[in-house]
Amino acid sequence: MSTTPPVLAAELAGAWADIQRHHPELPDLAAPESLIGESSSACGRELSFERLLHEAVHGIAAARGIRDTSRAGRYHNRRFLAIAEELGLDHPEEPHPSSGFSLVTLNPEAKQRYRQTIERIQRALKAHTVATAADTKRSFRGPAARHGSSGGGVRVKAVCDCGRNVRVVPSVLAQAPIMCGGCGKPFRIPEVVGVAAAG
């Protein structure tokens, strides 16, 4: 099995399509690769099928024009919870003080319904983790790596050919291209002249 980010992105897109079969109003997932390597404290956990279903709740809320969060997207309200329950997610009775009902878990019926999809995602994530862990020594980690840091959370400037730029964690950009909406080309981290000359 290939462990490249596009393969994992394809598995995520396939899982999203499976959710859409049960919930046709769910919009398409525009960029599954954007979920790879990202975790969100507001959404509760690292990437998994459970997290994907959580994101689907937000997608359905958006399609219905429902505001399902507040406090800059951190607090998940009862409208989020109502849709989450429709999709097969449970939550403890009381909301978390800062994130509300974000910490949802798959109920037994959803686990059974999506069993094969969950297994495919778990295999793809495991293979991706193994592949990216083995490639760490060869990957460009940005300025933080030169200062003894793992680079986690440190954002650097990435540019595209049309002159636009974004701040991004280098390890996330290394996993899959981030495309510019203006020119359609990928953002890249500019080479540092000193590093280029030393190579």
Side-chain angles (χ1 to χ4, degrees):
M1 173 192 291
S2 174
T3 54
T4 59
V7 172
L8 178 54
E11 288 289 352
L12 292 170
W16 192 264
D18 192 18
I19 299 168
Q20 285 178 313
R21 279 191 285 279
H22 297 281
H23 303 279
E25 68 183 307
L26 177 63
D28 290 340
L29 181 60
E33 64 275 5
S34 67
L35 295 172
I36 300 171
E38 290 287 330
S39 62
S40 167
S41 58
C43 292
R45 57 186 54 83
E46 70 276 358
L47 187 55
S48 64
F49 181 77
E50 203 165 66
R51 164 85 188 281
L52 199 62
L53 204 56
H54 176 124
E55 296 297 338
V57 174
H58 291 305
I60 288 176
R64 293 178 182 173
I66 294 172
R67 187 169 180 218
D68 62 342
T69 63
S70 58
R71 302 180 197 168
R74 288 186 306 275
Y75 191 87
H76 293 57
N77 59 35
R78 290 192 183 276
R79 291 182 292 275
F80 171 86
L81 181 58
I83 299 171
E85 289 171 349
E86 288 179 40
L87 270 68
L89 294 165
D90 287 336
H91 189 280
E93 283 289 318
E94 294 301 315
H96 186 275
S98 61
S99 61
F101 295 101
S102 71
L103 301 177
V104 288
T105 56
L106 283 166
N107 69 27
E109 294 82 15
K111 284 181 184 176
Q112 182 58 35
R113 178 186 314 135
Y114 295 113
R115 183 178 53 81
Q116 292 179 339
T117 303
I118 292 167
E119 289 170 1
R120 283 196 314 272
I121 288 289
Q122 286 174 337
R123 281 194 303 270
L125 284 167
K126 184 176 180 181
H128 178 72
T129 300
V130 169
T132 54
D135 195 41
T136 302
K137 292 179 181 173
R138 294 182 295 148
S139 297
F140 173 66
R141 304 278 299 170
R146 294 192 295 276
H147 300 289
S149 166
S150 67
V154 177
R155 298 176 186 271
V156 298
K157 184 166 81 171
V159 299
C160 73
D161 291 341
C162 71
R164 297 178 72 214
N165 65 69
V166 295
R167 292 272 173 191
V168 63
V169 177
S171 61
V172 171
L173 187 62
Q175 292 171 9
I178 297 174
M179 308 307 285
C180 175
C183 69
K185 294 185 179 176
F187 284 95
R188 59 183 168 67
I189 298 172
E191 289 184 27
V192 179
V193 175
V195 171

